[in-house]
C-alpha cells in the first residue's frame, strides 16, 4: 500500500463520489503519463468498435508507462478520461477496476470529445502519479 498518498474524505458541501476521489494529496516526485490510446506494441488498434477491449488495452499501456517511471496504479493521483461517447464510461470503469483498487480510486475527470486521433479510437486516458522522494 502506498503511504505517500492520502485520499481525503468528501469535503463538506460536496456530493459524495462513487467512482473517484475528490481530493488526493501526494508528496514526492510527479509522474505525468500522456494520454494513451488502444494501440499495441506494433502501433495497431486493439478492439475496434469495442470500448471494453480498448479500455483494457489503454489501462495496460498506462501500467507499462507507469512502470517505466518506477510507479504503479497505487501511485496515481489523477486520471483524465476522454471518450467519444459518455455511454462508454461503464465499460471504462469496468476495465479500470481490473487494474486499480476500487476502494482507493484517484481523482478523475471524464470528458466527452467530438473525436480523437482517428475515427476508430473510442477513448484516451492520461494519468498523473506521485512517487515518494
Amino acid at each position: 500500500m502506498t503511504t505517500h498518498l492520502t485520499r481525503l474524505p468528501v469535503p463538506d458541501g460536496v456530493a459524495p463520489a462513487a467512482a473517484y476521489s475528490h481530493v488526493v494529496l501526494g508528496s514526492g516526485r510527479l509522474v505525468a503519463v500522456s494520454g494513451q490510446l488502444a494501440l499495441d506494441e506494433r502501433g495497431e488498434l486493439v478492439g475496434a468498435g469495442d470500448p471494453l477491449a480498448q479500455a483494457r488495452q489503454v489501462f495496460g499501456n498506462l501500467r507499462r508507462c507507469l512502470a517505466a517511471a518506477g510507479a504503479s496504479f497505487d501511485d496515481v493521483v489523477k486520471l483524465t478520461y476522454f471518450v467519444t461517447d459518455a455511454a462508454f464510461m461503464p465499460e471504462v470503469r469496468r476495465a479500470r477496476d481490473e487494474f486499480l483498487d476500487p476502494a482507493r480510486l484517484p481523482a478523475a475527470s471524464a470528458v466527452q470529445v467530438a473525436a480523437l486521433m482517428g475515427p476508430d479510437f473510442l477513448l484516451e486516458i492520461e494519468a498523473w502519479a506521485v512517487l515518494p522522494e
Side-chain angles (χ1 to χ4, degrees), residues 86-127:
F88 298 152
M89 287 307 298
E91 288 92 348
V92 172
R93 288 185 194 107
R94 181 174 164 199
R96 178 207 59 201
D97 291 350
E98 295 172 8
F99 289 83
L100 283 85
D101 179 354
R104 301 182 70 246
L105 294 175
S109 297
V111 181
Q112 182 172 316
V113 296
L116 292 165
M117 295 309 298
D120 295 325
F121 295 113
L122 305 178
L123 59 117
E124 180 175 335
I125 305 170
E126 67 180 21

Side-chain angles (χ1 to χ4, degrees), residues 15-30:
Y20 58 92
S21 296
H22 280 293
V23 183
V24 180
L25 295 176
S27 173
R29 296 175 295 137
L30 180 66

Side-chain angles (χ1 to χ4, degrees), residues 31-97:
V31 178
V33 180
S34 293
Q36 295 296 301
L37 297 166
L39 296 172
D40 66 14
E41 64 276 2
R42 295 175 306 280
E44 296 176 13
L45 174 66
V46 173
D50 183 344
L52 180 58
Q54 287 198 21
R56 285 177 171 146
Q57 180 66 37
V58 167
F59 278 105
N61 290 347
L62 287 168
R63 180 174 52 199
R64 288 182 277 280
C65 290
L66 290 164
S72 74
F73 282 115
D74 285 342
D75 302 302
V76 172
V77 295
K78 176 77 163 61
L79 292 171
T80 306
Y81 304 93
F82 303 94
V83 293
T84 57
D85 188 334
F88 298 152
M89 287 307 298
E91 288 92 348
V92 172
R93 288 185 194 107
R94 181 174 164 199
R96 178 207 59 201
D97 291 350

